[in-house]
Amino acid sequence: MEWRDEGALLSVRPHGESAAIIEVFTEEHGRHAGVVRGGASRRIAPLLQPGAQVQVTWRARLDDHLGIFTVEPLRARAALLSDPLALAGLNAVCAMLRVALAEREPHPVLHAATMPLLDALDAGTDWPPAYLRWELLLLEEIGFGLDLATCAVTGSRDDLIYVSPKSGRAVSRQGAGDWASRLLPLPQVLLGQGPASAREIAEALALTGHFLNRELGPMLNGRPLPEARARLIDRLARRA
């Protein structure tokens, strides 16, 4: 068994005396793990950093084996290592991909959105709104996209200020009625309205986090979402 693909490196852990096991989010083969021989050596280890863009060749005797990766570095994205907020963003992306995606299941749309986000993190541009859009897409990819276009009760497009914690649909002030206290607040940044401030982004991520927690619950076995995501939200909130 053999294939060749390109993607972003998500994690690295030691394997034996000199090897490493890496996970790569690839375009055609999804989140895929494999062994890199000599991956813990001084020559190769510096190249195996989370967020790095790599081309990998995977080989195994059988398809269900862990297999061996040969790695060709394409882009290090090393600049973000000196930016604590961007590093927090990178760690959140890698952690969420690892817990949300089934191994070896392709997600080409999510992959196409992830690579520009990693580039924006590395470039130091205004990437938090892009991260928020990425989490919305991640929700869609795991089967639960939010519907914020119209009020679930009245069908109106106006004055949408709540979200149903069950259906993920928007609710207007008028449509909420006596149920308002049971609904989640809808940050206007999710509607493309208002400033995309750090506080607005953090509030919007609290909303996406509610649904991510619920949808990923069976895989998390009662554990919370990755701590890396919580650290990112904390840094964004402190920037407000």
Side-chain angles (χ1 to χ4, degrees), residues 168-225:
R169 294 193 61 188
V171 181
S172 67
R173 191 186 309 272
Q174 179 184 359
D178 295 338
W179 291 85
S181 62
R182 303 185 185 186
L183 301 175
L184 302 173
L186 172 56
Q188 296 302 289
V189 66
L190 286 171
L191 301 176
Q193 302 172 9
S197 67
R199 182 178 296 277
E200 282 269 319
I201 299 282
E203 291 172 352
L205 290 175
L207 178 67
T208 57
H210 167 82
F211 294 104
L212 285 166
N213 258 312
R214 190 183 72 184
E215 296 303 305
L216 295 176
M219 286 179 280
L220 292 171
N221 293 318
R223 302 188 306 274
L225 291 174

Side-chain angles (χ1 to χ4, degrees), residues 25-26 28-32 100-108 141:
F25 182 36
T26 65
E28 298 179 6
H29 299 84
R31 180 174 66 88
H32 208 292
L101 303 185
E103 193 171 5
R104 303 188 180 192
E105 182 178 289
H107 289 271
E141 289 288 301

Side-chain angles (χ1 to χ4, degrees), residues 6-8 10 24-27 30-31 97 101 107 110-111 114:
E6 183 178 322
L10 301 181
V24 182
F25 182 36
T26 65
E27 181 177 6
R31 180 174 66 88
L97 288 171
L101 303 185
H107 289 271
L110 184 61
H111 183 275
T114 302

Side-chain angles (χ1 to χ4, degrees), residues 75 77-90 115-131 236 239:
R75 181 173 180 179
R77 295 194 177 100
L80 58 79
L81 298 178
S82 61
D83 181 341
L85 182 61
L87 183 58
L90 168 67
M115 299 307 113
L117 174 57
L118 295 178
D119 289 341
L121 286 163
D122 190 43
T125 55
D126 185 25
W127 55 265
Y131 178 86
L236 285 169
R239 287 188 66 192

